[in-house]
Amino acid sequence: RARSRLPERGTMPTPTPLPSPSDPPPDPSLHARHATVERVIDPEYWRAICPGLSVDAADPATIAPASFASAAPGTALHALGRAARDRVLRDGFAKLPAAPLRLRDVADVRLLAASAIRLAQHGWNPSFLLAFDETWMVAAQLAEVVALVTGGNRLNFDALCWHVDPVDDGDGVDDASTTTTAFSPHRDRQPDDAPATFRDDGTAMYATAWIPFTDATTENSCLHFIPRPHDPGYFVGDDDDPDAMDKDPLRLCLPSKEAYQNIAAAPAEAGAAVVFTHRVIHWGGRGRGGLSWASADGEESSCRVEPRVCVSFGFADDAYEPAYMSRADNAPFPPLRRRLALIAAQMIVYHERFPFDLRALTLFHQLATREGAEGVLEKGYRKKVMYEYVRAAAALGSGGGEKKRGKRKDDGDDDDDDDDDD
């Protein structure tokens, strides 16, 4: 019997190296510093920045399969979803491998990673990747299996994107608003009545699907978790007294040296998904970068570690948290102007995490509140956006802008009450 041969050394395909966000923008005239509302609501503006992606395609089926992945009984995706559901019930999180999810059938995840960096080169936060159709195709492809895993949660439009450099973490980039660092340990939600945010069958009424567009490893800030069995506050809730250090959730989870062995890393290949509940403590590790060395004859070599580029989508039960926009009008593909209103609103809400200047804040406010955007955002969410806008404007107006721009978003600040998706 003929024996199969292993590929010869050097024949395995390697992806094209990703550019750096600190590289000059391919077209300086498109930089965010020149942006106006009239310019950014034009689809051609975004197509010019990321020419390989689509914006407001007349028929999304022309650039992706007409139907998205089915998790109906009898399918492989259904079996995966059931297994992942059991894991989430047990641990609070589960990793779904890339192959059965088939995200690559609807979007080129490598192109999405490169496009996030092109956006950063032009001064835009990576979350503006949500302006493009392909990012929403990823959410649509996941919708059915995530509903199965979570007990029925549906897309609620709480979405963000990241570019986390394992070496740089933003220190060498002129515009700190375009770089993101991994968040420190937190829960995504801190409800007053934590048990009420779980159904009778134990499934959580809010969960996040976190999708890497590059391989997420322990070297470039993959997610880490405290599994549910080792978290006393996971279901019952936490003591919210900031002065009660002995009641700190993380301290309670890690009372001894042996307890640190319970921490679970969740590396995930590009196109996979990590699904986790709103109550599981999680964070992104600090990247370490690769090795560089020289041989005896002086030849230099290196082992390059890629940045972690990813997107996260929130999925919720409306009985706990209403969708940020109407699903009937915006799922699965919100029109561009509504996408921009949502992204701008998210930037405002996360202003302490994604620093920007007063000019950018003004633009975001205009996009979220301009004529035609009224009524796009859900009433409660819109109220939150306006509250955070006032806070951001006050901080920038009082000279806090420079301080904010210099703040690293994983410096261990204790603001881990809610709304962090890594």
Side-chain angles (χ1 to χ4, degrees), residues 391-404:
R391 292 184 65 232
L396 290 168
S398 64
E402 291 304 313
K403 179 180 179 181
K404 287 163 65 66

Side-chain angles (χ1 to χ4, degrees), residues 358-375:
L358 190 57
R359 181 206 58 79
L361 177 62
T362 301
L363 177 65
F364 296 156
H365 181 262
Q366 291 171 338
L367 288 171
T369 62
R370 62 180 173 76
E371 184 178 359
E374 185 73 28

Side-chain angles (χ1 to χ4, degrees), residues 183-188 280-283 415-416 420-422:
F183 289 170
S184 56
H186 63 278
R187 304 189 196 277
D188 280 348
V280 67
I281 294 177
H282 60 286
W283 64 92
D415 182 18
D416 55 359
D420 292 339
D421 297 311
D422 284 288

Side-chain angles (χ1 to χ4, degrees), residues 112-144:
L112 284 168
S115 297
I117 296 173
R118 284 182 67 96
L119 286 166
Q121 291 172 340
H122 289 87
W124 293 105
N125 184 281
S127 289
F128 278 84
L129 198 63
L130 293 162
F132 298 92
D133 299 338
E134 287 82 354
T135 315
W136 293 100
M137 289 177 189
V138 170
Q141 181 80 343
L142 287 172
E144 198 167 324

Side-chain angles (χ1 to χ4, degrees), residues 93 95 217-218 222-227 261-268 283:
F93 71 96
K95 179 231 170 175
T217 71
T218 55
C222 71
L223 293 181
H224 293 73
F225 295 91
I226 302 288
Q261 293 178 302
N262 297 326
I263 295 173
W283 64 92

Side-chain angles (χ1 to χ4, degrees), residues 157 183 242 254 270-271 343 379 389 402 411:
F157 297 99
F183 289 170
L254 304 171
I343 301 167
K379 181 174 62 175
Y389 168 73
E402 291 304 313
D411 272 348

Side-chain angles (χ1 to χ4, degrees), residues 53 62 71-72 97 135 151 164 174 199 217 224 234-235 259-260 278 337 346 375 393 411 413:
L53 298 181
T62 63
T135 315
V164 179
D174 290 339
R199 303 182 184 91
T217 71
H224 293 73
Y234 177 90
F235 181 78
Y260 282 82
H278 63 310
R337 296 189 181 195
Q346 289 286 79
D411 272 348
D413 62 63

